[in-house]
């Protein structure tokens, strides 16, 4: 046999495969395509089964319809969280029950991120074209964030969102939660603790929903947080009705899934009346019943909140002002916290003067030795939420003292110790002058302007007396919201009142005060200042495009309080903050501050421009009584003040003294118009490029 023929016979199968390779490829492609199709069908079936078990909210909103849930197991496949926050307090981690975390902003308005949504929701709830079953398939929960110090607006946005969703037919799976920034009135001690408590119950409710635990749908006849359908156990629901899930028996009475805050506010008959016709003759009975229920609810709320509003904890003792979260935030900012409501921090001008690089404007205006000045406060709480607050509103707010109170002796002792410990950290630091370091270990001045409202502290007079006994001068700043406390205040070295605006509207816009009668309190505080015999100061902070065009109104306020001095300072930009809309565009140039001061002085004939501190963008207007001949006497004779205050104390307050009794001559370099522009020639001006700004300081 021919060898070539044998070889051909052996290779003939391979040749056959090669000739028919197209059909082989086609078979493989068909098999792969079939496998892919099977996988797609399986995944689609799984997706459909999940979608049938949750509200089709998106499709409902687009088609203006609703979904009727059939008889099937109901569970939660996910949670969608919607944030409405200005400062970031409403932001938590998230992962289809819709949860709305909404904060209440100024005057009870929603934040910018939630403004459009709230407007749309409000309009939809009152628009007949949407109908009262527009969101019938939606299950939701609401947690509001606010501050009960603003009583008339507390959690207003959260309440409204809850109400509007309910009016559109959405189904609440969890009672609305309310977080309170006021640590005294907060149910759990802080807004973080309020959320954690609500979140724990909400997660438990989600677990119940996921397990498919069901109950009879709420028929709208619930009263006072009780759902009658609870008593019937777990039942199948009728087609077209909503399914609701019950909580664990121990939480049933406290947090009922069917509990409806909106229903309590408006009454079940109101909900029914939204979709039915009410006879005019029955209208009076319905309104009487609604009013009666509302009154009963208010009485119940008053009873439950009575203990909470006293600011007492379970042991009957006042709560600490500094919560763990607040302590962490302030510690990161460099505060040395004292007790439960006080703090001390090293001013950047103290650091500067230790190095011989110049002092603060108080050194230029009043002769303070900045390296011997302690910046502290006996109260971290404040009654305002100013837009230019350099603490970014990390401190608590309140209108009265409701916290646990520490003794002034302990506060002063620890404040001095903490201040000295911070000074010690500069030992051996390059540039620190040995002489000033030694002097800095002895506190000579105390600026009660760190943060908060020092005058709120009930024992402020005892604290001031202790300062003076230690030969420490006192510079106290108040935000002009406590006129009674100002009148009752014992003599201080210098008393400041912040005059951040000259009209009611601008003051409300800039300071955002908690008091409803803030303007009257403001005016009364200025009148109380006029009655003081010691040195008094108006502190004006200029915010470009906010309060620089109110010269005539400022002049009228000057005549009301008749201060000894007026400090005019450009606002300090403390960086971007979600709590404030200020930018660098709101910071006036020094030339603009000078022009404002010149124009203001023209309207107040008893005053002249005395001093300037260009580096702080600040000028001092002084009453002409401090101009002896042609020389200004704006500085303070601190030794003489200590003698006068000692005589005052020894006489039981009968031997008084005035501001002119302890004034001292102002050096030439500190005067307005001097070539030094307020910088002490004994020191060396130091400027560093591209350095990070330290915004601390008085």
């Amino acid at each position: 046999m021919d060898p070539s023929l044998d070889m051909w016979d052996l290779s003939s199968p391979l040749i056959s495969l090669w000739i028919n390779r197209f059909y082989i490829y086609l078979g493989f492609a068909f098999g792969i395509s079939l496998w892919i199709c099977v996988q797609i069908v399986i995944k689609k079936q799984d997706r459909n089964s999940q979608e049938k078990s949750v509200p089709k909210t998106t499709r409902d909103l687009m088609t203006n319809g609703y979904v009727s849930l059939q008889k099937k197991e109901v569970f939660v496949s996910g949670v969608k969280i919607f944030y409405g926050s200005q400062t970031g307090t409403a932001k938590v981690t998230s992962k289809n029950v819709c949860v709305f975390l909404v904060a209440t902003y100024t005057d009870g308005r929603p934040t910018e991120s939630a403004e459009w949504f709230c407007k749309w929701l409000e309009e939809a709830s009152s628009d007949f074209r949407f109908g009262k079953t527009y969101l019938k398939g939606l299950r939701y929960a609401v947690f509001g964030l606010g501050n009960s110090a603003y009583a008339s607006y507390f959690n207003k946005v959260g309440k409204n969102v809850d109400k509007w969703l309910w009016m559109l037919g959405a189904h609440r799976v969890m009672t609305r939660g309310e977080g309170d920034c006021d640590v005294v009135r907060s149910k759990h001690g802080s807004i973080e603790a309020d959320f954690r408590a609500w979140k724990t119950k909400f997660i438990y409710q989600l677990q119940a929903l996921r397990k498919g635990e069901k109950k009879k749908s709420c028929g709208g006849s619930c009263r006072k947080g009780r759902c009658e359908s609870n008593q019937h156990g777990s039942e199948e629901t009728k087609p077209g009705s909503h399914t609701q899930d019950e909580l664990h028996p121990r939480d049933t009475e406290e947090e009922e899934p069917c509990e409806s805050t909106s229903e309590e506010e408006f009454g079940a008959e109101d909900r029914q009346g939204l979709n039915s016709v009410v006879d005019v003759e029955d209208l009076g009975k319905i309104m009487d019943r609604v009013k009666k229920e509302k009154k009963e609810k208010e009485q119940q709320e008053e009873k439950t909140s009575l203990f909470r509003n006293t600011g007492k904890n379970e042991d009957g003792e006042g709560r600490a002002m500094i919560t763990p979260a607040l302590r962490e935030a302030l510690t990161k900012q460099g505060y040395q916290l004292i007790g439960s409501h006080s703090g001390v921090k090293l001013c950047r001008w103290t650091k500067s003067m230790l190095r011989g690089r110049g002092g603060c404007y108080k050194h230029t205006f009043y002769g303070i030795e900045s390296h011997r000045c302690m910046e502290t406060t006996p109260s971290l709480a404040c009654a305002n939420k100013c837009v230019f607050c350099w603490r970014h509103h990390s401190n608590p707010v309140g209108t009265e003292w409701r916290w646990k109170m520490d003794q002034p002796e302990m506060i002063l002792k620890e404040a001095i110790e903490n201040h000295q410990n911070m000074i010690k950290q500069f030992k051996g630091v390059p540039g620190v002058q040995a002489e000033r370091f030694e002097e800095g270990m002895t506190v000579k001045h105390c600026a009660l302007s760190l943060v908060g409202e020092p005058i709120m502290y009930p024992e402020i007079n005892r604290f001031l007396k202790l300062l003076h006994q230690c030969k420490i001068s006192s510079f106290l700043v108040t935000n002009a919201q406590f006129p009674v406390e100002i009148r009752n205040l014992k003599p201080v070295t210098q008393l400041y009142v912040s005059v951040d605006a000259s009209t009611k509207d601008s003051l409300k816009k800039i300071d955002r005060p908690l008091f409803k009668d803030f303007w009257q309190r403001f005016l009364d505080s200025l009148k109380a200042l006029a009655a003081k015999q010691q040195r008094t100061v108006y502190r004006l902070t200029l915010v470009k495009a906010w309060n620089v065009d109110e010269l005539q109104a400022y002049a009228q306020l000057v005549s009301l309080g008749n201060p000894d001095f007026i400090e005019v300072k450009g606002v300090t930009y403390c960086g971007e903050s979600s709590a404030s809309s200020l930018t660098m565009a709101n910071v006036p140039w020094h030339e603009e501050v000078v022009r404002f001061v010149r124009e203001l002085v023209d309207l107040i004939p008893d005053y002249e421009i005395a001093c300037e501190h260009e580096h702080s963008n600040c000028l001092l207007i002084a009453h002409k009584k401090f101009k002896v001949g042609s020389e200004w006497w704006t500085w303070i004779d601190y030794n003489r003040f200590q003698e006068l205050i000692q005589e005052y104390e020894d006489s039981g307050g009968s031997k008084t003294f005035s501001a002119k009794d302890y004034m001292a001559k102002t050096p030439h370099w500190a005067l307005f118009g001097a070539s030094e522009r307020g910088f002490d020639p004994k020191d060396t001006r130091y400027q560093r490029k591209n350095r990070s700004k330290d915004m601390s300081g008085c």
Side-chain angles (χ1 to χ4, degrees):
M1 182 177 291
D2 190 345
S4 62
L5 292 176
D6 293 339
M7 185 177 295
W8 177 261
D9 291 339
L10 292 173
S11 60
S12 58
L14 298 176
I15 293 174
S16 178
L17 290 173
W18 176 256
I19 295 173
N20 298 297
R21 65 186 184 279
F22 174 76
Y23 300 102
I24 295 173
Y25 295 160
L26 186 62
F28 275 115
F30 178 77
I32 294 173
S33 300
L34 182 62
W35 181 82
I36 293 174
C37 291
V38 170
Q39 294 300 317
I40 292 175
V41 171
I42 292 174
K43 290 183 179 180
K44 188 174 182 180
Q45 288 177 347
D46 292 342
R47 190 183 303 113
N48 289 340
S49 63
Q50 291 181 7
E51 289 178 353
K52 289 178 181 179
S53 61
V54 295
K56 300 180 183 178
T57 311
T58 306
R59 189 194 307 171
D60 296 344
L61 294 176
M62 295 178 62
T63 60
N64 194 20
Y66 65 90
V67 177
S68 297
L69 300 179
Q70 304 299 324
K71 290 184 178 181
K72 58 183 176 296
E73 291 297 318
V74 179
F75 63 93
V76 179
S77 63
V79 178
K80 292 184 178 179
I81 299 182
F82 300 86
Y83 304 110
S85 173
Q86 186 74 14
T87 62
T89 53
K91 290 187 178 180
V92 295
T93 56
S94 63
K95 180 94 176 123
N96 235 329
V97 172
C98 292
V99 181
F100 298 89
L101 305 181
V102 289
T104 301
Y105 201 43
T106 308
D107 295 337
R109 295 183 289 104
T111 59
E112 292 182 10
S113 61
E115 190 172 1
W116 180 90
F117 172 73
C118 290
K119 183 179 180 181
W120 174 85
L121 200 61
E122 180 181 15
E123 293 175 351
S125 65
S126 58
D127 192 336
F128 72 93
R129 295 172 296 179
F130 283 84
K132 303 307 174 183
T133 56
Y134 186 66
L135 299 178
K136 187 176 180 181
L138 173 67
R139 292 180 295 174
Y140 76 95
V142 175
F143 185 84
L145 301 102
N147 193 316
S148 59
Y150 297 91
S152 56
Y153 302 120
F154 178 55
N155 265 316
K156 184 177 180 180
V157 176
K159 294 174 183 177
N160 286 338
V161 169
D162 187 26
K163 177 182 70 175
W164 295 329
L165 290 170
W166 172 80
M167 292 176 66
L168 288 171
H171 217 94
R172 183 187 296 103
V173 299
M174 180 72 181
T175 308
R176 183 185 70 245
E178 293 186 346
D180 192 352
C181 288
D182 190 330
V183 296
V184 175
R185 299 185 181 183
S186 170
K187 187 176 181 180
H188 300 92
S190 70
I191 193 169
E192 294 85 2
D194 291 338
F195 176 73
R196 285 194 296 267
W198 180 85
K199 183 182 70 173
T200 300
K201 295 176 181 178
F202 175 68
I203 291 176
Y204 186 87
Q205 173 64 5
L206 289 182
Q207 293 172 345
L209 290 170
R210 188 169 183 81
K211 291 177 182 178
E213 299 175 5
K214 298 184 298 179
K215 62 181 286 181
K216 185 176 180 180
S217 177
C218 178
S221 57
C222 304
R223 285 290 181 272
K224 302 303 174 189
R226 291 180 175 273
C227 186
E228 296 176 359
S229 58
N230 258 358
Q231 304 171 4
H232 301 289
S234 178
E235 301 181 17
E236 294 292 335
T237 57
K238 297 179 181 180
S241 64
H242 295 292
T243 58
Q244 277 289 348
D245 309 274
E246 60 186 353
L247 291 170
H248 194 278
R250 61 188 172 90
D251 290 334
T252 301
E253 202 169 307
E254 181 180 1
E255 291 289 353
E256 192 62 52
C258 277
E259 182 181 349
S260 176
T261 307
S262 301
E263 289 174 12
E264 291 175 11
E265 292 175 0
F266 304 104
E269 285 78 5
D270 294 352
R271 176 70 180 264
Q272 183 179 358
L274 293 172
N275 296 308
S276 60
V277 179
V278 179
D279 196 301
V280 176
E281 297 178 356
D282 297 330
L283 189 59
K285 297 179 181 179
I286 293 175
M287 295 304 297
D288 290 340
R289 185 159 55 248
V290 171
K291 290 179 180 179
K292 182 179 179 181
E293 290 175 357
K294 187 174 182 180
K295 184 177 181 180
E296 291 176 356
K297 181 198 171 195
E298 291 176 350
Q299 292 175 347
Q300 183 67 23
E301 288 181 348
E302 184 177 354
K303 291 179 181 179
T304 57
S305 63
L306 181 61
F307 179 79
R308 204 173 68 185
N309 288 342
T310 58
K312 305 290 184 179
N313 57 23
E314 294 179 356
D315 300 327
E317 188 181 33
R319 285 180 176 174
M321 181 188 295
I322 304 176
T323 63
L326 178 60
R327 182 177 296 275
E328 181 181 359
L330 293 176
T331 302
K332 287 181 179 179
Q333 296 179 32
Y335 287 81
Q336 296 294 321
L337 301 179
I338 303 167
S340 63
H341 54 74
S342 308
V344 62
K345 188 179 182 183
L346 203 62
C347 173
R348 77 181 182 96
W349 289 108
T350 301
K351 306 172 189 177
S352 176
M353 203 161 190
L354 283 172
R355 294 183 172 99
R357 298 178 180 176
C360 67
Y361 70 88
K362 288 189 180 72
H363 172 63
T364 300
F365 296 171
Y366 316 117
I368 271 187
E369 296 174 80
S370 301
H371 62 295
R372 303 183 67 183
C373 180
M374 176 178 67
E375 191 177 22
T376 186
T377 180
S379 172
L380 291 166
C382 187
N384 291 342
K385 295 176 74 69
C386 304
V387 295
F388 53 77
C389 179
W390 61 34
R391 309 307 177 192
H392 297 309
H393 307 157
S394 55
N395 57 305
V397 293
T399 57
E400 59 182 331
W401 191 272
R402 293 176 175 270
W403 300 277
K404 173 184 177 182
M405 188 183 71
D406 300 326
Q407 294 303 309
E409 291 83 2
M410 183 273 290
I411 296 174
L412 180 59
K413 179 177 178 292
E414 293 196 16
I416 294 176
E417 289 177 354
N418 282 316
H419 177 80
Q420 290 174 338
N421 289 334
M422 289 186 286
I423 294 290
K424 288 179 182 178
Q425 295 176 9
F426 284 82
K427 187 175 183 178
V429 174
V432 174
Q433 299 179 5
E435 182 181 356
R436 289 189 176 179
F437 177 82
E438 293 300 325
E439 291 176 346
M441 293 300 296
T442 303
V443 178
K444 186 177 180 180
H445 315 286
C446 180
L448 294 168
S449 60
L450 177 61
V451 70
E453 183 67 80
I455 207 169
M456 284 182 67
Y457 178 49
E459 295 293 341
I460 185 62
N461 281 324
R462 279 180 58 196
F463 185 80
L464 292 170
K465 184 177 180 180
L466 291 171
L467 281 175
H468 299 152
Q469 288 176 352
C470 295
K471 305 303 179 183
I472 300 174
S473 62
S474 52
F475 291 77
L476 189 147
V477 180
T478 176
N479 289 318
Q481 290 296 298
F482 296 91
V484 175
E485 286 75 5
I486 292 177
R487 283 193 289 268
N488 296 335
L489 193 68
K490 295 290 183 67
V492 296
T493 308
Q494 190 157 282
L495 177 60
Y496 290 79
V497 167
S498 295
V499 182
D500 301 324
S502 59
T503 65
K504 183 177 181 180
D505 292 338
S506 59
L507 186 67
K508 182 179 181 181
K509 182 179 179 181
I510 294 175
D511 280 3
R512 297 186 292 194
L514 272 64
F515 286 106
K516 292 182 180 179
D517 58 340
F518 67 91
W519 182 245
Q520 188 58 50
R521 284 177 168 271
F522 178 74
L523 297 178
D524 290 344
S525 295
L526 300 185
K527 294 176 182 177
L529 195 76
K532 294 295 178 180
Q533 293 181 303
Q534 291 74 43
R535 295 167 67 106
T536 57
V537 182
Y538 274 12
R539 195 176 193 180
L540 276 63
T541 301
L542 298 185
V543 185
K544 199 172 180 179
W546 287 57
N547 62 355
V548 296
D549 300 321
E550 305 169 349
L551 285 166
Q552 190 61 49
Y554 275 119
Q556 294 175 358
L557 293 179
V558 170
S559 63
L560 187 65
N562 194 30
D564 295 323
F565 305 97
I566 305 171
E567 292 178 3
V568 184
K569 186 178 186 298
V571 66
T572 301
Y573 180 63
C574 304
E576 184 178 355
S577 169
S578 55
S580 173
S581 59
L582 291 186
T583 66
M584 278 299 296
N586 298 114
V587 180
W589 294 96
H590 186 64
E591 292 74 14
E592 294 175 311
V593 176
V594 172
R595 183 169 61 251
F596 176 90
V597 170
R598 289 183 185 277
E599 293 175 355
L600 179 60
V601 167
D602 290 339
L603 300 175
I604 45 178
D606 293 332
Y607 295 82
E608 290 182 8
I609 305 175
C611 302
E612 176 187 27
H613 192 253
E614 183 189 30
H615 190 56
S616 294
N617 197 12
C618 186
L619 280 85
L620 179 69
I621 302 173
H623 196 281
K624 290 181 180 180
K625 66 182 179 181
F626 291 95
K627 194 172 187 179
V628 181
S630 60
E631 297 178 333
W632 282 107
W633 288 60
T634 65
W635 275 35
I636 298 172
D637 186 339
Y638 294 100
N639 293 329
R640 180 56 181 158
F641 170 79
Q642 296 299 341
E643 295 173 359
L644 293 171
I645 196 67
Q646 186 62 49
E647 293 174 2
Y648 172 86
E649 295 292 346
D650 293 343
S651 65
S654 61
K655 190 173 183 179
T656 60
F657 57 98
S658 68
K660 295 179 69 175
D661 293 332
Y662 57 101
M663 64 181 185
K665 184 180 177 181
T666 309
H668 179 268
W669 58 264
L671 299 177
F672 178 68
S675 59
E676 292 85 356
R677 305 299 293 271
F679 188 84
D680 192 339
K682 294 180 181 179
D683 294 322
T684 303
R685 186 73 175 267
Y686 182 85
Q687 294 179 329
R688 185 171 54 191
K689 295 182 179 180
N690 299 325
R691 64 184 179 89
S692 58
K693 271 193 174 181
D694 182 359
M695 294 303 175
S696 63
C698 51

